[in-house]
Amino acid sequence: AMHEGHVVSAQELTELLQPLFTQNSRNLVLFLQDRLSIDDFTYFSESYGNKNPFQNQVNNLFINLLQEILQSSPSSLVLPAVDCKATKYLLSILQESGDWKLTNVTNLSVSQLEVNASNPNLLVVQLQPLASGLKEISTLEAIAENDKIIGRVTMDLQERGIHFSVIYTAVRPSRISRRTDVVTELRRQLMAAEEEDSLSYPPLNVTTGNYTCILFYASNFTLKANSSVLIDLTNATFLTQNVDISASECSDSNTTLSLKYSKPVNGISSLEIRFLMTNKFYEGSARKWSTLDSVEIVQDGEKFAKFSVSAISAPAEYSFHCQLVGTSNLYPARLVPSNDEAKNWDVFISKLQIQGFNIINNQFSYASDCTGFFTPGIWMGLVTSIILLWILTYGIHMIMQLTTNNRFDDPKGPALSVPQTE
């Protein structure tokens, strides 16, 4: 029993999961989503009536248990939760706690699963992402689709007579509540704390021998093929690391980060993404600069798409960081299609940080950001200030040109005569 508002740490999570490691039937299914919170269960199950997205047995049991906790809890507004930082250690905790046979399920065809019940099995099922920026009804449909996937997997295992346990979790929370004990602090500090909590996994690193030559991180790494097929590679790249980086190459002048994925979605058997970087000396700045020259996408070993890159460069000793990188014209760092095949792809990378040269202690160096010092807001403020200053200067100048009379009529004397020239 835990009190309301308690946050379960990684160590407490390990203790809570101990019964899964000691029972006779050690088959575990881990359903992994990109974003999820307890509030999603209560909100979507109660607000949509007949359109309740949670229909399978596993989620219904959880909702019933959650309702019992709400009724018996001293506070129905604040419930216990798991620290989002503990999620990134979950897979390593599970793998270290037993001799599991790890199976990554990345496609929706669960009928091809081969499970040997005589040995412990750990099935990691990658659920469909809840892409950011979607409307509420689209989020509802995505959760409903994930609920169907959970139902198909669990039903298939039950029909085979396999006893199993289920963990349904996510990489990061979908709803972030501000802490009440820091409301008096500055907004910048609150945002920095929330941003730090969202970094729930380490960057991908490519090593040559004992040295790291490439570091790559993104909070969201998503592709869209033919404006219809959404491919979320975030979890496969950084969390489960179900990606082949053996084709990556490193040198002092040229570096290539190669990411190969096997069956990322239905209809695509293989997908390779290459980031090509160079390190050159520029006489104008009298120093070396690292530049991301192009990005290439190879589908099924045949379809080749190439993008030229704009505004992604940094001093050779630095890493590069940008909040939004992709094919949209609104992004500060753009991927511009270089051939006809590239026009069939949309790329979205948020909070990109990459470094291909001069990596020290396996950590990112100081980041050169894609946003310059003079942002559009600063330019608007400067231009507006200059216009107002010019109006003020012109007004003062006109006031200084005003003159007053230096001669006046005397009612007892003759009328004052003012020549036309004056």
Side-chain angles (χ1 to χ4, degrees):
M2 296 182 181
H3 60 82
E4 61 275 10
H6 178 75
V7 179
V8 178
S9 63
Q11 182 178 358
E12 292 174 325
L13 181 62
T14 305
E15 296 175 356
L16 289 173
L17 295 178
Q18 281 301 321
L20 298 178
F21 311 141
T22 57
Q23 62 186 3
N24 295 329
S25 176
R26 294 174 57 192
N27 296 301
L28 181 61
V29 184
L30 174 61
F31 293 103
L32 194 59
Q33 198 165 283
D34 62 337
R35 297 182 290 114
L36 184 69
S37 294
I38 294 179
D39 297 1
D40 295 331
F41 289 92
T42 56
Y43 177 74
F44 288 108
S45 63
E46 295 175 358
S47 301
Y48 287 89
N50 297 330
K51 294 184 178 180
N52 179 3
F54 304 107
Q55 298 293 335
N56 75 76
Q57 182 180 5
V58 174
N59 283 332
N60 282 333
L61 289 174
F62 178 76
I63 292 175
N64 293 334
L65 177 61
L66 185 60
Q67 290 175 348
E68 293 179 5
I69 296 175
L70 287 172
Q71 294 174 359
S72 60
S73 174
S75 173
S76 60
L77 299 178
V78 184
L79 295 176
V82 177
D83 187 0
C84 60
K85 292 183 179 179
T87 308
K88 72 176 182 178
Y89 301 110
L90 182 59
L91 268 180
S92 59
I93 291 173
L94 295 175
Q95 293 176 358
E96 294 173 358
S97 301
D99 187 17
W100 303 94
K101 178 186 176 183
L102 179 62
T103 303
N104 288 293
V105 184
T106 56
N107 57 356
L108 305 183
S109 180
V110 299
S111 59
Q112 300 177 359
L113 285 177
E114 297 181 0
V115 180
N116 184 3
S118 61
N119 297 321
N121 293 279
L122 174 58
L123 306 179
V124 180
V125 182
Q126 299 285 344
L127 298 177
Q128 297 297 310
L130 309 182
S132 58
L134 294 179
K135 296 181 180 179
E136 187 176 284
I137 189 65
S138 301
T139 304
L140 178 71
E141 294 173 354
I143 292 179
E145 182 63 28
N146 289 339
D147 182 80
K148 294 177 182 178
I149 298 173
I150 296 174
R152 286 201 296 268
V153 173
T154 55
M155 185 62 67
D156 181 73
L157 295 177
Q158 287 177 353
E159 292 176 351
R160 300 186 194 184
I162 299 176
H163 298 282
F164 60 92
S165 301
V166 171
I167 296 178
Y168 183 17
T169 187
V171 178
R172 52 189 177 273
S174 60
R175 303 165 188 263
I176 300 177
S177 300
R178 293 189 181 273
R179 294 166 48 191
T180 57
D181 57 339
V182 291
V183 293
T184 57
E185 296 188 14
L186 295 178
R187 178 177 177 82
R188 179 181 295 272
Q189 295 174 340
L190 285 172
M191 294 178 65
E194 291 178 4
E195 182 177 356
E196 182 180 355
D197 290 342
S198 66
L199 302 179
S200 55
Y201 43 77
L204 179 71
N205 64 81
V206 178
T207 59
T208 55
N210 297 327
Y211 299 96
T212 299
C213 62
I214 304 176
L215 286 174
F216 174 64
Y217 176 85
S219 64
N220 193 345
F221 185 21
T222 306
L223 308 179
K224 183 179 286 188
N226 301 317
S227 301
S228 59
V229 181
L230 188 66
I231 309 172
D232 191 337
L233 303 174
T234 310
N235 293 341
T237 305
F238 303 104
L239 188 65
T240 62
Q241 295 192 354
N242 187 24
V243 58
D244 181 10
I245 58 175
S246 58
S248 301
E249 300 177 354
C250 298
S251 69
D252 294 337
S253 58
N254 295 280
T255 295
T256 300
L257 172 61
S258 174
L259 307 174
K260 294 182 179 180
Y261 305 89
S262 178
K263 295 182 179 180
V265 292
N266 285 338
I268 299 179
S269 60
S270 66
L271 187 67
E272 181 181 5
I273 304 173
R274 305 191 195 111
F275 295 84
L276 284 74
M277 295 173 282
T278 58
N279 185 20
K280 295 181 180 179
F281 179 82
Y282 291 85
E283 296 181 356
S285 59
R287 67 181 306 169
K288 286 187 175 182
W289 287 73
S290 62
T291 306
L292 179 60
D293 296 325
S294 61
V295 176
E296 301 174 350
I297 300 177
V298 183
Q299 177 186 344
D300 299 330
E302 299 178 353
K303 298 180 179 180
F304 176 78
K306 184 175 181 179
F307 300 86
S308 60
V309 183
S310 64
I312 296 186
S313 61
E317 299 82 9
Y318 294 175
S319 63
F320 176 82
H321 175 270
C322 194
Q323 192 74 11
L324 292 174
V325 177
T327 51
S328 173
N329 295 329
L330 303 177
Y331 296 162
R334 283 198 62 206
L335 303 182
V336 183
S338 297
N339 58 8
D340 292 336
E341 184 63 32
K343 297 178 182 179
N344 299 326
W345 291 90
D346 292 323
V347 182
F348 172 74
I349 307 176
S350 63
K351 296 183 181 179
L352 168 73
Q353 188 166 2
I354 189 169
Q355 184 174 356
F357 306 96
N358 303 315
I359 297 175
I360 301 175
N361 297 328
N362 300 330
Q363 295 180 348
F364 280 116
S365 302
Y366 176 84
S368 175
D369 201 274
C370 62
T371 303
F373 178 77
F374 286 96
T375 62
I378 293 177
W379 279 114
M380 291 177 64
L382 287 175
V383 171
T384 304
S385 300
I386 291 174
I387 293 175
L388 294 176
L389 183 61
W390 180 83
I391 294 174
L392 177 63
T393 304
Y394 180 77
I396 294 175
H397 174 73
M398 295 301 294
I399 292 175
M400 293 178 64
Q401 298 301 316
L402 295 177
T403 59
T404 58
N405 295 331
N406 55 3
R407 289 182 293 175
F408 301 93
D409 281 331
D410 185 0
K412 296 182 179 181
L416 182 66
S417 175
V418 180
Q420 292 287 339
T421 57
E422 297 184 12

